[in-house]
Amino acid sequence: MTATTLFYIIIAVIILDFIVDKILDALNAKHYNDPIPAELTDVYDQDAYQKSQRYKTTNYKFGLITSTFSLVLTLTFLMLDGFEFVDNIARSYSSNSIVIALIFFGIIMLASDLLTTPFAYYQTFVIEERFGFNKTTTATFILDKLKGLAMMGIVGGGLLALIIWFYEVTGTYFWLYAWALVAVFSIFVNMFYARLIVPLFNKQTPLEAGPLREKISAYANSVGFNLDKIFVIDGSKRSTKANAYFSGFGSEKRVTLYDTLVNDLEDEEIVAVLAHEVGHYKKKHIVFNLIASLLLTGLTLFILSIFISNPLLSNALGVAIPSFHVGLIAFGLLYAPISELTGFVMNHFSRKFEYQADDYAKNTYKAEPLVSSLKKLSKNSLSNLTPHPAYVWVHYSHPTLLERVRNLMR
Ligand SMILES: [Zn+2]
């Protein structure tokens, strides 16, 4: 194969990926106005329903604009040999391959961030604002951006530097060391997420003593689950949308509730949401997800190790001097359809697990408050009640509201 052939394969993969994605979006949008299923007629009143219709259409159109922009940007960059240009800049500063890679990725990340930030700004301060979701101030928005970039620079840069070093020292076997590194790192992050990362962005306080805490404890005791770490996080600092999640394991395991969730739901509904989360834990979904993602990472790194030393990868992107970092970009572009496929399989498992967690909540607590909380959360986030099945198949990590309500009421 020649570099030119591979270049056109990469372009074809990017365009095909875009087309498939847009077809799914369009199919989904065609069903926005479908009649609402009988089980869900009490989710929206007339006003809220109209609002949800406008929200969906606005987001659909905006998504079309942003994804087209990023497609045109990527293709133009490829056609103009942008990677060669950036690689030359990086090489003018150093001859050390790790430093070159860090400068190379630094420039690409910063440039793409600068170009996409206006869209993110518009999404938050125009669209989310118009529909009453936005609580973020410009200062928080900018700080979040800077913290995100700093974290990416330190963590991402550190991991990348180590992986390139492994490659230089051990050659083709680098993938085993890289895998071990990523495994240790992700277990560490999983374990200490709430202690290390959340405080950078949010304030979290233990759930205060009172009727809610007592009801939660009573439930936790009834299923023999040790749940003394319950935290409330100030999600309302950014958005009115609500959430709850589980993190860590062993002695670090804790439940985090958004203050918006605590305010929007009745006590019984919150306990039902927690029962669902406990279900994920008891059914070992958290461990499964961690192991599955580690295996997928290993597989990806192994496939990467087969191709990375081939200069064709760098040459296909128009870069004369083959390197690990440019090869990584080419590999990433070619691997996109495969990672979409694995994401699709993971979504399939995730939807199965959601049913299991719902069943667990139904069996150990009650179905009704979970149904009403799911409906409230859907209403408050102006969710789409009639998504297209193909779209759900590919993109949804949770079953649709209708499927979950039907399962819970059965
Ligand atoms: Zn769940």
Side-chain angles (χ1 to χ4, degrees), residues 145-158 196-197 200-201:
K145 264 265 164 263
L146 295 178
K147 287 178 203 164
L149 280 173
M151 215 162 74
M152 176 127 90
I154 295 166
V155 176
L196 293 178
I197 298 176
L200 294 175
F201 296 94

Side-chain angles (χ1 to χ4, degrees), residues 276-277 280 353-354 357 398 404:
H276 169 99
E277 297 299 329
H280 279 309
F353 292 164
E354 289 306 319
H398 287 56
R404 292 181 74 180

